[in-house]
Amino acid sequence: MRPVTEIKAIGIPVLTDKVDIAHARLDFASGAVANVTASRVSTERGASWRFFQQHEYISVDFTRQDALRVRVVEPGAQPNSISRRFRPSGKEPLRRGTASLP
């Protein structure tokens, strides 16, 4: 894992005089980015992590207990993008699919 090079964060009160929603962005030396949001006012219950890096996006949803990985491979290679949704414990992906990028 590469070290964190920058952290940006903001929190705001919405319903109380305390921070009700907060967002942080962590930039890593590798170019990967992690966005973290915590909210006491969201109408949707859930917990997830989302990671962005060059040619790849990963979303881990703790509420649904699954993960989504979208990876873009080098131009000219087939397929141009790969999208997979996984269940924990190494079970088969929930959904497999490919799509061409414009």
Side-chain angles (χ1 to χ4, degrees):
M1 181 151 128
R2 302 281 187 217
V4 174
T5 58
E6 185 174 16
I7 298 174
K8 296 179 184 176
I10 187 169
I12 59 169
V14 177
L15 300 176
T16 70
D17 60 345
K18 308 271 193 257
V19 173
D20 292 314
I21 188 165
H23 179 80
R25 175 186 165 116
L26 292 80
D27 294 329
F28 295 86
S30 66
V33 176
N35 289 308
V36 181
T37 301
S39 173
R40 293 191 285 187
V41 298
S42 176
T43 59
E44 296 179 22
R45 290 187 55 93
S48 62
W49 290 348
R50 291 184 175 82
F51 302 92
F52 304 87
Q53 60 185 7
Q54 187 174 13
H55 305 299
E56 190 167 30
Y57 165 74
I58 299 168
S59 175
V60 180
D61 190 312
F62 296 100
T63 303
R64 287 193 319 248
Q65 296 187 352
D66 70 1
L68 171 68
R69 177 184 182 205
V70 178
R71 181 172 53 99
V72 178
V73 296
E74 293 297 318
Q78 292 296 326
N80 287 343
S81 70
I82 299 170
S83 175
R84 296 177 131 182
R85 188 172 293 279
F86 296 89
R87 285 263 190 223
S89 72
K91 294 181 181 176
E92 282 297 309
L94 292 176
R95 180 182 64 206
R96 289 185 181 188
T98 60
S100 296
L101 299 177

